[in-house]
Amino acid sequence: MIMKNKMIRNTLIYFMMTVIFVVPVLTSCGKASAQPKELTILAAASLTDVCTELQEMYENEHPDVILNFSFGSSGALQAQIEEGAPADIFFSASTKQMDALKDEGLMKDDSITELLENKIVLIVPKDSDKGITAFEDASKDKVSMIGLGDPESVPAGQYAEEVFTTLGILDQVKAKANYGSDVRTVLTWVESAEVDCGVVYATDAYTSDDVEIVAIAPEGSCKKVIYPVGIVKSTSDEKAAEEFLSFLKSDTAMKVFESYGF
């Protein structure tokens, strides 16, 4: 009888030890298998610096989320969405591209927000001695080459054409224009003095110590530069996309946008 009780007691002890060991292992395995949420954000090139800072802020506060940003011209990003490229959020530098995607039924209409406003400016290399002080100078002999975004896909280039059309000098400007695939390319050309001047967003100019803003687009010469943001209808995680969009609209994020000139 004593031997039998001893065997039962040993069996119970072994069972309890097994449970104590296995449960933490299973719990640990469960945690290890949890995959972080990933969001793909297609954003205008002019948002590169500010979104890089916001990404770090958001991921620090949400360690279970990974933000994958892809920057480029809004027109090129629009085309990617139309072609079915994976995307959760589209952040455009113009309402034109957002409206097109909305009309095609590719965006969640109720998520679209006109979040930011920017300015179109004329910039020159920091040490320029060309005497360029106004948009009208782009048609004069003092400018032999001007950097512009390709109006086929770059909103900044489209706004620039509006300005020069309003001023009645578009044909003269086009004759000496060098077109870039996005606004950051134009900024780089001006920084390195490969062109005499260029048209970019004010926020791009603020990021560089090698250029100088000499003029802001005259009032009424082009449409307001509005940056809309919204959720792509084919998003793989609508809830996570909504949470990040709410962050972009928060006071915290807006203060960061303002610090970059928006």
Side-chain angles (χ1 to χ4, degrees), residues 151-162:
E152 290 296 318
S153 60
V154 184
Q158 295 159 7
Y159 290 122
E161 285 209 342
E162 284 186 47

Side-chain angles (χ1 to χ4, degrees), residues 4 12 16 19 21 24 38 50 54 79 87-88 97 103 126 139 147 159-160 164 173 178 186 201 204-205 209 246 252:
K4 185 176 181 181
L12 288 171
M16 291 173 66
V19 169
F21 175 77
E38 291 196 42
V50 65
L54 290 172
D88 298 290
Q97 288 74 26
D103 292 343
K126 194 69 174 179
S139 65
Y159 290 122
F164 292 126
V173 173
N178 196 34
V186 176
Y201 298 115
D204 292 298
D209 294 327
S246 293
T252 299

Side-chain angles (χ1 to χ4, degrees), residues 46-47 49-54 57 116-118 184 202-208 250-262:
S46 52
L47 292 163
D49 299 282
V50 65
C51 280
T52 298
E53 180 172 338
L54 290 172
M57 290 175 58
L116 306 172
E117 183 175 353
N118 212 335
R184 285 305 174 93
T203 52
D204 292 298
Y206 295 153
T207 68
S208 176
S250 69
D251 289 342
T252 299
M254 291 309 297
K255 288 177 182 176
V256 177
F257 284 122
E258 289 170 7
S259 72
Y260 281 82
F262 287 100

Side-chain angles (χ1 to χ4, degrees), residues 32-99:
S33 62
Q35 294 296 316
K37 304 170 187 176
E38 291 196 42
L39 290 177
T40 298
I41 301 102
L42 305 187
S46 52
L47 292 163
T48 301
D49 299 282
V50 65
C51 280
T52 298
E53 180 172 338
L54 290 172
Q55 176 183 7
E56 183 177 351
M57 290 175 58
Y58 193 78
E59 289 182 342
N60 284 341
E61 292 293 325
H62 302 80
D64 60 330
V65 179
I66 296 175
L67 303 178
N68 298 313
F69 278 90
S70 179
F71 298 103
S73 70
S74 298
L77 299 177
Q78 172 195 341
Q80 289 179 31
I81 294 172
E82 291 171 335
E83 291 166 5
D88 298 290
I89 289 175
F90 178 45
F91 204 163
S92 177
S94 170
T95 56
K96 177 181 178 180
Q97 288 74 26
M98 184 67 79
D99 289 345

Side-chain angles (χ1 to χ4, degrees), residues 1-261:
M1 186 68 177
I2 294 174
M3 180 65 70
K4 185 176 181 181
N5 287 340
K6 186 175 181 180
M7 289 176 64
I8 292 173
R9 187 179 67 224
N10 289 343
T11 301
L12 288 171
I13 292 172
Y14 176 79
F15 175 75
M16 291 173 66
M17 291 298 292
T18 301
V19 169
I20 291 171
F21 175 77
V22 170
V23 169
V25 170
L26 290 176
T27 304
S28 175
C29 289
K31 289 180 180 177
S33 62
Q35 294 296 316
K37 304 170 187 176
E38 291 196 42
L39 290 177
T40 298
I41 301 102
L42 305 187
S46 52
L47 292 163
T48 301
D49 299 282
V50 65
C51 280
T52 298
E53 180 172 338
L54 290 172
Q55 176 183 7
E56 183 177 351
M57 290 175 58
Y58 193 78
E59 289 182 342
N60 284 341
E61 292 293 325
H62 302 80
D64 60 330
V65 179
I66 296 175
L67 303 178
N68 298 313
F69 278 90
S70 179
F71 298 103
S73 70
S74 298
L77 299 177
Q78 172 195 341
Q80 289 179 31
I81 294 172
E82 291 171 335
E83 291 166 5
D88 298 290
I89 289 175
F90 178 45
F91 204 163
S92 177
S94 170
T95 56
K96 177 181 178 180
Q97 288 74 26
M98 184 67 79
D99 289 345
L101 291 174
K102 178 180 176 182
D103 292 343
E104 293 167 23
L106 297 175
M107 300 296 298
K108 291 185 63 64
D109 294 0
D110 59 355
S111 74
I112 298 173
T113 301
E114 293 187 351
L115 191 64
L116 306 172
E117 183 175 353
N118 212 335
K119 296 291 184 183
I120 291 293
V121 298
L122 183 69
I123 59 173
V124 298
K126 194 69 174 179
D127 300 321
S128 174
D129 59 359
K130 299 281 186 177
I132 301 167
T133 60
F135 276 82
E136 289 86 347
D137 288 336
S139 65
K140 299 175 181 177
D141 292 341
K142 63 177 72 176
V143 173
S144 58
M145 184 176 292
I146 179 172
L148 301 174
D150 185 347
E152 290 296 318
S153 60
V154 184
Q158 295 159 7
Y159 290 122
E161 285 209 342
E162 284 186 47
V163 173
F164 292 126
T165 298
T166 300
L167 297 176
I169 57 174
L170 179 60
D171 289 340
Q172 298 96 305
V173 173
K174 288 174 69 174
K176 58 181 79 176
N178 196 34
Y179 293 105
S181 59
D182 58 52
V183 73
R184 285 305 174 93
T185 299
V186 176
L187 177 66
T188 300
W189 288 341
V190 180
E191 287 176 322
S192 58
E194 294 177 64
V195 295
D196 299 316
C197 59
V199 178
V200 299
Y201 298 115
T203 52
D204 292 298
Y206 295 153
T207 68
S208 176
D209 294 327
D210 298 320
V211 303
E212 180 183 352
I213 296 175
V214 293
I216 298 174
E219 188 72 29
S221 62
C222 67
K223 295 189 295 290
K224 283 190 174 182
V225 183
I226 303 297
Y227 283 56
V229 61
I231 299 173
V232 181
K233 189 170 285 186
S234 61
T235 176
S236 59
D237 195 329
E238 185 174 340
K239 185 174 185 298
E242 288 174 346
E243 290 173 352
F244 181 62
L245 192 58
S246 293
F247 167 72
L248 290 178
K249 295 186 284 186
S250 69
D251 289 342
T252 299
M254 291 309 297
K255 288 177 182 176
V256 177
F257 284 122
E258 289 170 7
S259 72
Y260 281 82

